Amino acid sequence: MCGITALLLSNPEIMASVELFEGLQMLQHRGQDAAGIVTCGYKGRLYQCKGNGMVRDVFNQENLQRLVGGLGVGHVRYPTAGSSSNSEAQPFYVNSPYGIVLAHNGNLVNAEELKNSLDVKAHRHINTDSDSELLLNIFADNLQQTGKFRIYEEDIFTAIKGLYEQCIGGYACVAMIAGFGIIGFRDPHGIRPICYGIRRSHEGFDFMFSSESVVLDALGFTEIKDIDPGEAVIVTRQAITRRKLVHWGELTPCIFEYVYFARPDSVINGISVYRSRLEMGEHLANQVIKECGKNLDIDVVIPVPDTSRVAALQLSHKLKIAYREGFIKNRYVGRTFIMPGQQMRRKSVRRKLNAMALEFADKNVLIVDDSIVRGTTSKEIVQMARDAGAKKVYFASCAPPVRCPNVYGIDMPSRRELVAFNRDNDSIAKELGADMVIYQDLNDLIASCQKFNPHITSFDCSVFDGQYVTGGVTDEYLAHLEKDRSDLAKSSRESLHSPDTIGLHNFLHTSSQSYFERNGWSGVKGVNGVNGSN
């Protein structure tokens, strides 16, 4: 899962980099592996700064000031396809045709086929394992086929329509064409979120795309709308043009956005994330009663901060059981679910959370979490509760059992790494060390979201039911995906990109400071004017 944003200011003399930076900070929960910004300045000159780490680590006042221009694209990343090397930090850039920058959230299921096609037919070299570079080059190749010296909105719509016909998967993209404007588009099923808003300024109107509405709200943008499935929106300083390019898709948003990924103060596809989580708590309370009976031997409800707080509060209200904050969170440790590597996730749990014994000692506790994926975090949390003196530990999940890989951009691909794989609830409880595990019913989860937008008739629930709305997900593909994305495979790839191995990736792709400058070569400025990437 990633966070994307793009901004066009009506006054080209004002730097877009500051608000892009602020936007990425508000999307930090969507990816903590890498961050990047590319801006466009005078005469279409591009400037970039990107690298591994949190937003605050990649950017400082000096390099933000060197990101010149009144329009730009930003990205925060956690790895699904590809590795965690600097070379995979986005946005990506290609100089031909026209100078195009693209950032992407999601995943393609026909990536290998597309990569071969680009090589054989378009003669385009793909330098990373990132789907984002594939999307960029497909878009660029489709534009190049116009053969025009200058392009217009109609040419861009034609190129994106071709991309929709070529690419299978879930994706939301923002792009920038040097000296032209910014673009947002979304896959024909609307699996990944993207919205946009307008802000009045002294010179006219500013325009912004974002993965979540919270960014637009905080920066003063109004008239916020979601991009429809199969739609593209093109923004220049002269006009805003939107068009639905394919009509065969149906809005099927990823339900895990509401369970875990999105901030509670966001509204996605017309659904308040906060209100949907309240409703999840209501339904989960009913499930607790169903499985435990009305005479509950639960003394206290304790959430796992932060995502499950809203649901846990509503559950405690429904059950008339005290709600307590038993875990104190260290906010300077990243989200464990999106950390690459099982060993790193396990080590981070106790660094991230501390159990207060006074809320656990001699009590039967019901711990509420948003979901149970690999079980690494949950197992450590149960043990922490016992170490703090809990007599019994019940564990409730706002989501159903996660038993299937996700192919649309969430890093939970290997079935054997999922704690619910080939296990029933009793076996899962035993694995976690809990007295009982209680899961949300899938129909109740869907109802929790659908209540606030009845026009959405279906959601992508593939991690729960194994139904992939895009098609093209074969057993062979899943086997390849699991092999490629297991923790073992990722750790092997990370060793290839260690600091001891400079390699071609580190030579071609630079972050905050160019490779050449770091090694004492002259002639290349610090935050790259993007002159030869890809």
Side-chain angles (χ1 to χ4, degrees):
M1 192 62 59
C2 300
I4 57 175
T5 185
L7 174 65
L8 184 146
L9 299 175
S10 57
N11 184 349
E13 301 301 318
I14 299 177
M15 295 175 63
S17 59
V18 174
E19 288 190 300
L20 287 169
F21 168 75
E22 292 174 347
L24 293 183
Q25 285 190 309
M26 286 180 267
L27 295 175
Q28 185 75 86
H29 60 285
R30 300 186 67 87
Q32 300 166 4
D33 182 69
I37 293 174
V38 178
T39 59
C40 181
Y42 182 62
K43 291 187 176 180
R45 175 74 181 270
L46 300 178
Y47 302 83
Q48 77 169 3
C49 176
K50 58 181 183 175
N52 281 358
M54 306 278 275
V55 174
R56 64 172 181 259
D57 300 322
V58 175
F59 301 101
N60 56 42
Q61 184 175 357
E62 180 182 356
N63 58 36
L64 282 174
Q65 288 176 342
R66 295 160 71 183
L67 290 170
V68 178
L71 66 159
V73 171
H75 186 270
V76 288
R77 178 181 188 265
Y78 97 103
T80 48
S83 71
S84 299
S85 70
N86 272 343
S87 66
E88 310 251 332
Q90 297 183 44
F92 282 111
Y93 161 78
V94 67
N95 60 3
S96 177
Y98 314 116
I100 306 171
V101 175
L102 184 138
H104 150 254
N105 171 32
N107 191 63
L108 301 177
V109 302
N110 63 334
E112 286 301 315
E113 175 188 331
L114 293 170
K115 189 172 184 177
N116 292 336
S117 176
L118 283 169
D119 184 23
V120 173
K121 297 179 182 178
H123 310 302
R124 284 183 171 267
H125 174 67
I126 304 300
N127 197 54
T128 70
D129 295 321
S130 172
D131 289 353
S132 307
E133 191 181 11
L134 283 176
L135 282 160
L136 170 61
N137 277 274
I138 289 165
F139 180 45
D141 184 58
N142 291 349
L143 275 179
Q144 194 153 29
Q145 291 176 25
T146 65
K148 293 182 177 179
F149 177 67
R150 296 190 185 277
I151 54 166
Y152 300 94
E153 282 87 344
E154 195 64 37
D155 304 308
I156 296 171
F157 283 134
T158 301
I160 296 174
K161 183 179 181 181
L163 182 148
Y164 284 148
E165 293 167 352
Q166 294 166 277
C167 299
I168 302 172
Y171 50 91
C173 302
V174 288
M176 175 173 65
I177 299 177
F180 183 87
I182 57 175
I183 306 157
F185 58 94
R186 190 181 189 189
D187 73 81
H189 297 276
I191 297 171
R192 292 285 149 244
I194 182 172
C195 57
Y196 62 95
I198 300 171
R199 181 181 64 191
R200 183 181 292 276
S201 68
H202 293 297
E203 292 79 13
F205 290 94
D206 304 328
F207 194 96
M208 193 172 202
F209 294 107
S210 177
S211 293
E212 295 186 31
S213 64
V214 61
V215 175
L216 306 178
D217 283 332
L219 295 178
F221 288 80
T222 59
E223 299 180 41
I224 299 171
K225 296 182 177 66
D226 295 289
I227 294 181
D228 290 334
E231 183 183 39
V233 180
I234 302 171
V235 184
T236 68
R237 289 198 170 90
Q238 289 73 45
I240 300 170
T241 313
R242 54 183 297 185
R243 184 180 301 177
K244 190 168 178 65
L245 300 173
V246 295
H247 298 274
W248 44 264
E250 179 185 13
L251 179 58
T252 315
C254 175
I255 205 162
F256 217 70
E257 289 281 352
Y258 304 97
V259 172
Y260 176 78
F261 275 108
R263 277 180 47 154
D265 45 350
S266 285
V267 177
I268 298 177
N269 303 303
I271 299 171
S272 162
V273 176
Y274 175 79
R275 294 179 70 187
S276 71
R277 288 178 184 168
L278 283 175
E279 198 68 16
M280 289 175 205
E282 188 84 9
H283 284 289
L284 187 57
N286 293 333
Q287 193 69 21
V288 170
I289 295 170
K290 180 179 177 181
E291 297 197 23
C292 299
K294 292 186 178 180
N295 298 319
L296 301 174
D297 64 339
I298 299 170
D299 300 311
V300 63
V301 173
I302 295 177
V304 178
D306 285 317
T307 320
S308 61
R309 278 186 168 131
V310 176
L313 186 62
Q314 186 65 22
L315 177 145
S316 72
H317 177 75
K318 174 87 172 179
L319 297 180
K320 296 181 172 59
I321 297 173
Y323 170 95
R324 293 290 184 268
E325 292 282 352
F327 294 106
I328 303 303
K329 181 179 179 181
N330 177 0
R331 301 186 180 279
Y332 302 99
V333 177
R335 300 179 88 174
T336 53
F337 171 61
I338 63 175
M339 286 183 174
Q342 186 86 327
Q343 186 175 3
M344 185 182 295
R345 286 186 290 269
R346 187 177 293 114
K347 286 180 179 179
S348 295
V349 175
R350 287 184 182 256
R351 296 173 186 169
K352 175 182 176 180
L353 296 175
N354 183 52
M356 290 196 298
L358 62 91
E359 295 294 356
F360 289 93
D362 298 320
K363 295 178 183 177
N364 297 334
V365 300
L366 174 61
I367 296 174
V368 179
D369 205 353
D370 50 75
S371 58
I372 307 171
V373 183
R374 295 170 177 87
T376 311
T377 302
S378 305
K379 188 173 184 176
E380 290 291 331
I381 285 170
V382 170
Q383 188 58 51
M384 289 168 67
R386 294 204 185 278
D387 292 344
K391 291 192 297 184
K392 289 185 179 180
V393 180
Y394 302 104
F395 204 100
S397 167
C398 296
V402 177
R403 292 196 167 100
C404 303
N406 181 276
V407 301
Y408 302 129
I410 301 176
D411 187 24
M412 52 171 79
S414 177
R415 283 169 284 192
R416 289 168 181 79
E417 293 174 358
L418 303 173
V419 72
F421 179 70
N422 278 346
R423 289 189 178 102
D424 60 17
N425 285 11
D426 290 338
S427 300
I428 296 168
K430 184 177 180 180
E431 176 67 21
L432 300 182
D435 293 279
M436 179 182 285
V437 170
I438 302 156
Y439 280 103
Q440 183 86 270
D441 179 77
L442 180 56
N443 289 330
D444 288 341
L445 176 61
I446 293 171
S448 298
C449 300
Q450 205 169 40
K451 176 179 179 178
F452 303 105
N453 188 352
H455 298 293
I456 300 177
T457 57
S458 61
F459 291 84
D460 168 49
C461 303
S462 54
V463 297
F464 309 121
D465 61 14
Q467 302 298 311
Y468 300 101
V469 297
T470 62
V473 182
T474 63
D475 290 339
E476 292 77 13
Y477 172 78
L478 291 176
H480 170 76
L481 194 70
E482 290 191 1
K483 181 179 178 181
D484 187 55
R485 293 191 186 174
S486 68
D487 281 338
L488 180 61
K490 285 182 179 179
S491 63
S492 299
R493 280 199 299 272
E494 294 310 312
S495 66
L496 293 176
H497 294 282
S498 69
D500 297 328
T501 308
I502 291 181
L504 183 62
H505 281 314
N506 289 357
F507 183 83
L508 289 177
H509 293 266
T510 56
S511 53
S512 304
Q513 189 180 30
S514 82
Y515 173 88
F516 303 96
E517 189 177 7
R518 287 199 307 272
N519 288 277
W521 295 11
S522 60
V524 180
K525 295 181 179 179
V527 175
N528 315 3
V530 189
N531 276 338
S533 180
N534 289 354

